[in-house]
């Protein structure tokens, strides 16, 4: 993804990889395979955590767009996927609407994850 420098929550361009392409590129770049192993990053990256964070039913962001949260700008954590029922929605864009029962797959440092959880709970 290439993010818009004037609106860091909006992706300007995306490239869809198919088949084994994502794994091959991640391995070539030495990147963790986030969707394959959400809690088992190999090798572990110091200071970076990947967590699955349920959206509280009373969250002020239920029914709103991910872009409305300004999550990365406000907390430093990135929402990299949403789990909705038995579906995983990777790289949701700013127009994706958060629903009650969703879980966010989030990457960030410990403090940024705490801020994001607090934001989704209290606004």
């Amino acid at each position: 993804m290439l993010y818009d420098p004037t609106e860091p929550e909006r992706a300007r361009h995306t490239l869809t990889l198919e088949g084994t392409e994502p794994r091959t590129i991640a391995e070539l770049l030495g990147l963790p395979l986030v969707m394959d192993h959400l809690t088992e990053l190999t090798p572990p990256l110091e200071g970076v955590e990947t967590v699955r964070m349920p959206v509280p039913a009373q969250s002020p962001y239920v029914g709103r767009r991910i872009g409305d949260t300004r999550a990365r700008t406000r907390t430093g954590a990135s929402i990299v996927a949403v789990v909705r029922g038995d579906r995983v929605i990777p790289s949701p864009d700013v127009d994706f609407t958060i629903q009650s029962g969703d879980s966010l797959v989030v990457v960030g440092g410990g403090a940024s994850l705490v801020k994001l959880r607090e934001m989704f709970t209290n606004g």
Side-chain angles (χ1 to χ4, degrees):
M1 297 182 86
L2 176 63
Y3 290 97
D4 186 331
T6 61
E7 190 176 343
E9 299 294 327
R10 180 174 298 283
R12 290 178 64 190
H13 301 285
T14 60
L15 173 66
T16 303
L17 303 174
E18 297 178 358
T20 60
E21 294 172 335
R23 180 179 297 278
T24 301
I25 294 205
E27 288 173 356
L28 288 170
L29 296 174
L31 300 175
L33 302 173
V34 175
M35 294 313 296
D36 285 348
H37 306 284
L38 294 177
T39 59
E40 301 172 13
L41 294 178
T42 306
L45 301 173
E46 189 169 328
V48 177
E49 298 177 52
T50 303
V51 298
R52 185 169 166 175
M53 186 178 296
V55 175
Q58 74 281 7
S59 173
Y61 294 103
V62 168
R64 293 178 62 189
R65 302 172 330 118
I66 279 184
D68 295 340
T69 70
R70 297 180 54 238
R72 188 174 49 243
T73 302
R74 291 174 60 193
T75 69
S78 294
I79 300 169
V80 297
V82 175
V83 179
R84 179 171 288 163
D86 61 352
R87 291 183 21 226
V88 176
I89 299 104
S91 303
D93 67 19
V94 294
D95 294 321
F96 183 87
T97 301
I98 300 162
Q99 295 181 359
S100 180
D102 285 350
S103 286
L104 309 175
V105 179
V106 184
V107 176
S112 65
L113 297 176
V114 169
K115 286 180 190 175
L116 187 70
R117 187 177 311 277
E118 175 72 17
M119 188 182 88
F120 267 86
T121 301
N122 299 319

